[in-house]
Amino acid sequence: MPDLIAKSALAGHAPLVRAGTRLAECAAAPITSIAPYPGRAAQVDAALAPLGLSFPAPNGQSASGTARLLWAGRDMAFLIGAETPAALADHASLTDQTDGWAILGLSGPLAEAALMRPVPLDLRLAAFPVGRTARAPLNHMQAILTRTDDQAFEVMVFRSMARTAWAELTEALAVLEARAKLS
Amino acid sequence: MRLTCPLCGARDRREFTYYGAEDYLNRPAPDAPPQAWDDYLHNRDNPAGVTRDLWYHDMGCSSWLLVTRNTVTHEILAVEAVADRKGGAA
């Protein structure tokens, strides 16, 4: 067996800055999907309690230190940045997703406007506050969006679409940068 | 056209995939007469007015939805999750 070298989905893509807005790949963290079995909500929350987390409501997340639990669909959440508590396996279906997703960070004054081009959601701060998470299309890609700060978003897409997502966001930033230069 | 997903909120039509009539939820018993199976598999109404059909939120939360809408006015009257109905997946 030869030695295999782990590569991130966007290895080789240096962070991109357009008009003060930065697009960069976020560090790969362990990602585990948690799908509670029917009627086990209380047990799942009890198993998550040692991490300081609870199962998130739709469009929300639970965070504690570097561990985050993002809502990822009906009866599904993604645990990011923490190992899964062993007690959880009795009450939920757990799947390692670490290599299946690419995480892009978009931050800066144009982040909101750039993301609203490929995403058909109102992402303004009043409608999509810090900590909000949504499953939504990024053009044709099934994405998970999270607002991490007033001017920062995290975009998760399937790993196979990482470069496409990068290209779409780069194009949106280029258009907005060109427009900003005219005014 | 927008559908208000019970989990995700109001979303654009492009996030959803149409499956077919509500009839798919009403599967006949295994020993039902052939006419019942014929109706279930093949016969559909095509109403000018209120109709109920199944949609899948494939670009969102992956819920199956039962949508009540009006084919004449294009009004969306109700959207409910199939899993939340009695006998649904819970």
Side-chain angles (χ1 to χ4, degrees), chain A residues 59 74 121 135 137 140 142, chain B residues 7 11 58-59 61 63 83:
Chain A
N59 305 312
R74 183 169 81 84
L121 287 187
R135 287 226 58 152
H140 64 285
Q142 292 167 304
Chain B
L7 295 177
R11 294 297 185 94
D58 57 335
M59 295 298 260
C61 62
S63 285

Side-chain angles (χ1 to χ4, degrees), chain A residues 38 58-59 71-75 118-121 134-143, chain B residues 2 6-12 14-15 57-64 81 83 89-90:
Chain A
N59 305 312
W71 184 79
R74 183 169 81 84
D75 297 334
V119 176
L121 287 187
R135 287 226 58 152
L138 183 84
N139 281 346
H140 64 285
M141 292 167 273
Q142 292 167 304
Chain B
R2 308 189 98 195
L7 295 177
C8 299
R11 294 297 185 94
D12 191 272
R14 83 190 84 161
E15 296 190 22
H57 197 185
D58 57 335
M59 295 298 260
C61 62
S62 307
S63 285
W64 279 101

Side-chain angles (χ1 to χ4, degrees), chain A residues 3 12 38 72 85-86 95 101 112 120 126 138 147 154 157 164 171 175 180 182:
Chain A
D3 285 340
T95 310
W101 291 82
E112 197 176 275
L138 183 84
R147 185 190 281 271
E154 194 180 74
V157 292
T164 309
E171 184 180 337
V175 170
L182 291 177

Side-chain angles (χ1 to χ4, degrees), chain B residues 45-69:
Chain B
D45 292 330
N46 184 20
V50 176
T51 185
R52 282 155 72 85
D53 37 33
L54 296 172
W55 294 73
Y56 184 57
H57 197 185
D58 57 335
M59 295 298 260
C61 62
S62 307
S63 285
W64 279 101
L65 304 173
L66 178 59
V67 177
T68 308
R69 63 193 176 92

